[in-house]
Amino acid sequence: MTATSAVIGLAWREARAARRRLALLVGAIAVGTAALVAINAFTANLRRSVAGEARALLGADLSFASRARFTPRVDSLADSLACGGSTGCGNRATVTSFAAMAYVPARAGVRLVRVTAVQGGWPFYGQITTTPAGAWSTLQGARVALVDPALLTALGAAPGDTLALGRLRLPIAGTVDRVPGDIGIAAAFGPRVVIPGALLEETGLLQFGARAEYEIFLRLGPEQDPDAIAKQHRPALRPERVRIRTVQDEQQSLGNALERLGRFLGLVALVALLLGGLGVASAVHVFIRQRMETIAVLRCIGATTRQVFSVYLIQAAGIGLVGSVVGAALGLAVFVALEAMVA
Amino acid sequence: MLRCAGLTQSYPSGNQALTVLQDISFEVTAGEFVAVIGPSGSGKTTLLGLLAGLDRPQAGRVWLDGAELTTLGEDARARLRGAKVGFVFQSFHLIPTLTARENVQVPLELRGEPGGIRAEELLARVGLADRTHHYPAQLSGGEQQRVALARAFSTSPKVLFADEPTGNLDQRTGARIIELMTELNREAGTTLILVTHDPELASRARRILRLADGRLVADTAA
């Protein structure tokens, strides 16, 4: 047996009899570490899922938005971008939305709604849930409308009823239940009515001076960098009052909020750990003070300063290590429980 | 074996220094049994601490087995104690969180030697073969002092310092401890320095050093 292993053995045996007090120290460290681990894991996971969902929030890689009809120049730019990728054309969708009055003749009900005319395969990413299922994909070729469930409730209408939008008459084919990135409260200002983009002109509602939001959504090839494209074209498009948005932009604005939340929670956990650390420090201080006689005896029977210091350093390091490992495990458990609760 | 010359020690007390030891010189040869006696406060324990290198004197020098303690640093003196010195104290001073066997083992382990078997042997020698796994709190005073004796002898020291080893024990138990100590001393050929104020105990020694007010006032062969 070497002197080193003797010191380790002594540290272990000397700690053994004071197990209950040591368990308290381990517990204090574990709780602080657990809080930190749980919060960090939770915010990291939140950030990761935001990154994963960001494309679905936009539904595309890149979007152009304008308050007026796009000029031919913007139109052809979008076309060239949509066809520039290796995936061919057909990666372009147009969404026009505006406020209008919807009328259901059978119920004699009128409501202010938000009309969304979709042309093309938007959304390219993410799923829109409808009732009946799959109604979204057949919308393009059909002469039907999909509406917000809130509209049916408000007007007492049912699928199959005819809906009038300006001069256009369409049967309600079903409801749009979930759109990624959509905020529930928006429906309160005007329930959504989705119609195929090809029928937009038939409504006769978009006259001179009509307030509408025009958007072009693009899906890009893997070799096209949406942010580089956005950066390149932004200056030229600014005079035309066309805004370019990318997944990164969406992610950033959402990410900033999460970042702040994460930092705040992290700070709380750190303060908790710091306070816990103070507690641990004073507890260790008392622990060592109680060991003074033992230390004196050890010195008396031939222990060097280094050996005595090592014995208690090993004990303190052991407490720290066990506390951290237990805390990390505890933190992960809390994180998993928290996730199960949120999901 | 053990020699000191001109040992002087004083502590600051209020504005003036309190002199505890003054100009103590003597020599002890190997295997001797020396008792240091004197009334309380005469400086016996202080002298013991200086001879064992636990403390440094203000003036004077100490040689232990050829090495001059007074020139050595803290750790060198600790190593020297581990190699050549054994201690027995009035209040036993066992490590409360270790078992009897582990307490006996510690001095050997600090030197990097396995102490298990030697500890068992020594505990058997002091009559505690069936108490090896007991903690100090589970042992009587006499038993604790016997463990302390086993610990002191575990490293086969050249010098054993005993500071009032029977002070906390009843007379019968104390007598047994002294018997055991002198036996072990004879067997191992250890030099024994015993501090006591008990004249009867001192009479067992072959030489008596009498201290009074920090001075060596008598050095007599018993």
Side-chain angles (χ1 to χ4, degrees):
Chain A
M1 185 188 282
T2 65
T4 319
S5 66
V7 165
I8 295 169
L10 194 61
W12 168 248
R13 287 195 301 253
E14 217 272 318
R16 188 187 47 195
R19 225 178 263 152
R20 203 171 305 162
R21 188 168 300 114
L22 294 181
L24 204 69
L25 291 182
V26 167
I29 295 173
V31 169
T33 315
L36 210 58
V37 167
I39 286 170
N40 278 343
F42 187 67
T43 49
N45 188 55
L46 215 56
R47 205 168 295 146
R48 206 165 39 240
S49 53
V50 165
E53 298 269 314
R55 289 211 304 190
L57 293 181
L58 192 63
D61 291 311
L62 191 70
S63 94
F64 295 95
S66 171
R67 282 282 172 197
R69 278 179 208 278
F70 290 109
T71 58
R73 216 188 108 199
V74 178
D75 215 36
S76 61
L77 170 64
D79 265 341
S80 71
L81 285 174
C83 298
S86 51
T87 42
C89 296
N91 295 317
R92 175 189 162 151
T94 315
V95 174
T96 310
S97 48
F98 56 92
M101 297 308 288
Y103 174 53
V104 178
R107 315 283 165 189
V110 181
R111 259 291 181 285
L112 178 67
V113 297
R114 179 148 194 89
V115 180
T116 308
V118 179
Q119 185 156 39
W122 185 84
F124 298 113
Y125 308 108
Q127 287 290 317
I128 288 179
T129 320
T130 58
T131 315
W136 187 268
S137 51
T138 57
L139 180 68
Q140 285 308 316
R143 288 188 65 88
V144 293
L146 293 171
V147 302
D148 201 298
L151 184 69
L152 293 185
T153 317
L155 294 181
D161 287 352
T162 299
L163 181 81
L165 280 173
R167 284 200 286 272
L168 183 66
R169 298 280 187 280
L170 289 175
I172 298 171
T175 57
V176 180
D177 301 324
R178 228 172 71 104
V179 178
D182 209 23
I183 310 163
I185 196 110
F189 297 112
R192 188 197 302 272
V193 172
V194 186
I195 60 169
L199 305 179
L200 182 59
E201 290 306 319
E202 289 184 34
T203 62
L205 290 174
L206 289 186
Q207 305 285 339
F208 173 78
R211 290 187 68 252
E213 165 111 2
Y214 301 86
E215 278 183 285
I216 295 173
F217 289 97
L218 297 175
R219 176 168 58 187
L220 301 176
E223 70 287 346
Q224 289 168 294
D225 177 9
D227 295 299
I229 291 168
K231 205 172 162 193
Q232 183 192 344
H233 294 290
R234 230 171 233 144
L237 292 176
R238 196 164 292 138
E240 311 224 16
R241 311 192 70 167
V242 173
R243 287 176 294 122
I244 305 186
R245 285 189 302 153
T246 64
V247 175
Q248 187 98 48
D249 298 333
E250 295 287 291
Q251 207 176 321
Q252 203 137 45
S253 59
L254 198 62
N256 283 345
L258 286 175
E259 185 83 32
R260 276 193 291 276
L261 178 73
R263 265 192 219 151
F264 172 71
L265 291 176
L267 200 67
V268 169
L270 202 66
V271 167
L273 191 66
L274 216 66
L275 288 177
L278 279 178
V280 169
S282 61
V284 167
H285 186 72
V286 170
F287 180 74
I288 295 292
R289 275 249 300 267
Q290 287 171 340
R291 289 290 180 282
M292 273 313 188
E293 196 182 303
T294 297
I295 291 170
V297 172
L298 281 174
R299 295 280 289 139
C300 216
I301 59 179
T304 59
T305 340
R306 203 192 161 94
Q307 282 175 322
V308 172
F309 182 71
S310 301
V311 165
Y312 291 98
L313 184 68
I314 287 167
Q315 284 186 4
I319 292 165
L321 189 71
V322 173
S324 307
V325 169
V326 170
L330 207 68
L332 283 178
V334 168
F335 161 67
V336 168
L338 213 61
E339 266 226 315
M341 232 163 67
V342 169
Chain B
M1 179 68 222
L2 179 66
R3 187 154 74 89
C4 63
L7 277 185
T8 299
Q9 185 76 313
S10 62
Y11 298 109
S13 164
N15 286 332
Q16 53 191 24
L18 179 73
T19 303
V20 184
L21 288 177
Q22 201 154 21
D23 198 23
I24 308 269
S25 305
F26 62 89
E27 188 172 354
V28 177
T29 53
E32 251 191 301
F33 179 2
V34 180
V36 179
I37 61 169
S40 302
S42 57
K44 304 186 298 287
T45 299
T46 305
L47 177 63
L48 198 72
L50 293 178
L51 293 178
L54 293 175
D55 210 350
R56 265 177 196 273
Q58 222 127 50
R61 297 154 84 177
V62 178
W63 292 266
L64 179 70
D65 198 30
E68 189 181 342
L69 282 185
T70 30
T71 60
L72 296 175
E74 283 277 347
D75 281 346
R77 278 183 280 142
R79 270 191 288 271
L80 195 77
R81 279 197 297 276
K84 294 177 177 172
V85 176
F87 280 101
V88 179
F89 302 96
Q90 179 174 1
S91 44
F92 326 131
H93 286 313
L94 296 175
I95 296 173
T97 49
L98 299 185
T99 62
R101 183 188 140 138
E102 287 162 354
N103 262 291
V104 177
Q105 239 171 298
V106 167
L108 289 167
E109 288 187 339
L110 288 172
R111 301 203 305 204
E113 294 166 21
I117 295 161
R118 172 107 176 115
E120 299 270 356
E121 283 170 8
L122 276 163
L123 283 170
R125 176 67 189 82
V126 299
L128 292 175
D130 55 344
R131 288 277 203 262
T132 53
H133 294 291
H134 287 58
Y135 287 96
Q138 298 168 313
L139 299 171
S140 72
E143 287 170 331
Q144 287 190 53
Q145 196 61 303
R146 279 190 274 166
V147 174
L149 268 180
R151 178 176 70 184
F153 279 100
S154 66
T155 54
S156 313
K158 296 220 150 113
V159 187
L160 177 70
F161 291 102
D163 188 1
E164 306 272 16
T166 60
N168 277 355
L169 301 174
D170 63 67
Q171 217 166 7
R172 253 185 67 206
T173 317
R176 294 245 302 273
I177 289 293
I178 291 301
E179 232 156 75
L180 194 56
M181 192 162 72
T182 45
E183 268 173 43
L184 285 167
N185 191 42
R186 244 196 326 275
E187 286 165 22
T190 310
T191 309
L192 179 57
I193 313 284
L194 171 72
V195 165
T196 182
H197 58 247
D198 178 0
E200 198 194 312
L201 188 53
S203 67
R204 289 164 168 268
R206 268 175 277 154
R207 181 180 166 194
I208 295 174
L209 299 174
R210 187 181 300 272
L211 287 186
D213 291 330
R215 292 171 188 276
L216 186 58
V217 292
D219 184 348
T220 51

